[in-house]
Amino acid sequence: MARTRKPVVEVRRSQRRRRTVSAYRDGERVVVLIPDRFSRAEETEWVERMLARLAAREERVRSTDAELLARARRLTTRYLPDHVHQVMPASVRWVTNQNGRWGSCTPDDGTIRISHRIQEMPEWVIDYVLLHELAHLVVPSHNARFWDLVARYPKAERARGYLEGISAATGLVLQDD
Ligand SMILES: [Zn+2]
């Protein structure tokens, strides 16, 4: 018998949040992040809306690892053209087992794994995370040369601020080491 499993929802209120609502899946749970000032009615409305949005998104994501790889390759060509021979990734996949890390990479075989937790974030933040991991294929550590590569992406600083804000609001540390 087919049965739709209702996810366990955990609502987290944040005083830092003004208007934005986001949600992500964490194993069997769905975490919904809302501004602290929301009323109970608004909370109920937004939880329903975000669950629907997340379900639709997850449906699309199942076939999107190939798109993620294509996207990473476009970013490589655009921002790291002088390193294309080193960093053109062999595989880029969405994964759910990153334990709070946004992504990781294995320079030896050119594979990159990106946390599903960032799927709900703006496209320019996802691009930043991809480029960050791509740059690690050139420079493994977070040294000056590494940050010079990352800075080629125009919204790098803004994306780092966005990710730090999420970390502060959720208590979830989102970085890659
Ligand atoms: Zn890094």
Side-chain angles (χ1 to χ4, degrees):
M1 277 203 312
R3 186 167 71 93
T4 307
R5 198 192 306 189
K6 270 237 160 196
V8 177
V9 177
E10 178 184 333
V11 177
R12 291 190 195 155
R13 290 173 172 265
S14 162
Q15 294 187 345
R16 288 175 57 110
R17 249 164 219 273
R18 295 280 174 248
R19 291 181 305 275
T20 55
V21 178
S22 64
Y24 62 88
R25 186 176 289 281
D26 183 15
E28 293 294 298
R29 285 181 315 159
V30 170
V31 179
V32 181
L33 309 163
I34 64 172
D36 194 39
R37 61 169 180 75
F38 269 17
S39 67
R40 289 293 162 195
E42 283 174 309
E43 174 181 320
T44 304
E45 178 195 336
W46 274 98
V47 165
E48 287 302 314
R49 194 181 293 184
M50 295 312 285
L51 285 179
R53 202 177 287 180
L54 196 61
R57 178 106 191 193
E58 286 176 348
E59 194 59 39
R60 289 197 301 276
V61 158
R62 290 193 184 96
S63 62
T64 55
D65 281 355
E67 289 166 27
L68 195 63
L69 175 62
R71 185 169 171 174
R73 288 182 166 164
R74 281 197 299 275
L75 288 166
T76 304
T77 306
R78 180 158 180 195
Y79 295 109
L80 303 168
D82 44 339
H83 297 285
V84 158
H85 61 289
Q86 278 169 280
V87 307
M88 197 51 91
S91 122
V92 184
R93 290 185 299 115
W94 292 112
V95 292
T96 56
N97 59 348
Q98 290 283 307
N99 299 323
R101 292 194 298 175
W102 70 43
S104 61
C105 68
T106 308
D108 286 347
D109 61 7
T111 58
I112 290 173
R113 292 156 298 280
I114 302 292
S115 171
H116 71 293
R117 290 176 209 242
I118 70 163
Q119 271 169 2
E120 292 298 311
M121 293 183 190
E123 301 295 319
W124 53 271
V125 176
I126 298 174
D127 277 351
Y128 166 74
V129 169
L130 280 171
L131 192 74
H132 185 111
E133 296 307 324
L134 290 165
H136 274 317
L137 297 182
V138 185
V139 183
S141 63
H142 289 129
N143 60 19
R145 192 170 160 245
F146 170 81
W147 291 115
D148 280 349
L149 290 177
V150 168
R152 294 176 178 183
Y153 180 62
K155 288 181 178 161
E157 273 306 310
R158 212 180 139 202
R160 287 176 69 190
Y162 182 99
L163 290 161
E164 279 167 18
I166 297 277
S167 294
T170 62
L172 172 73
V173 179
L174 267 177
Q175 30 185 256
D176 67 344
D177 57 3

